[in-house]
Amino acid sequence: MRIIIAELNTLLIYTDWGNHYLEKARSKKFIQDLQTDLTDGVLLADLIEAVTNQKVPDVQRKPKTAGQMVCTHDIVLSLFYY
């Protein structure tokens, strides 16, 4: 039971942290559920842009397929490789 509460607290902390930066960047979207809202990569890209103050290039803003979602994640994560 303690592990579940600790995991929920961790999710809440990261959700609040992300929403703080999204609000600061005047985003129209916010994180409701950290485990599902970042799945298509678009909100993740918005969050990275808000935190780093840099534009994430070539993001598919309305991905329709799983491949497009994976591509968006790859683009976002590639920013951290260099």
Side-chain angles (χ1 to χ4, degrees), residues 15-26:
T15 300
D16 288 346
W17 175 85
N19 283 333
H20 166 78
Y21 279 98
L22 290 169
E23 182 179 3
K24 233 174 125 174
R26 296 192 169 116

Side-chain angles (χ1 to χ4, degrees), residues 7-34:
E7 287 178 11
L8 290 174
N9 283 338
T10 301
L11 286 174
L12 182 60
I13 289 167
Y14 281 113
T15 300
D16 288 346
W17 175 85
N19 283 333
H20 166 78
Y21 279 98
L22 290 169
E23 182 179 3
K24 233 174 125 174
R26 296 192 169 116
S27 176
K28 295 176 184 168
K29 296 182 185 177
F30 294 96
I31 303 166
Q32 301 296 318
D33 183 344
L34 190 64

Side-chain angles (χ1 to χ4, degrees), residues 67-82:
Q68 289 174 330
M69 292 177 195
V70 169
C71 184
T72 301
H73 280 104
D74 286 345
I75 290 168
V76 171
L77 294 175
S78 71
L79 298 173
F80 297 103
Y81 293 133
Y82 303 104

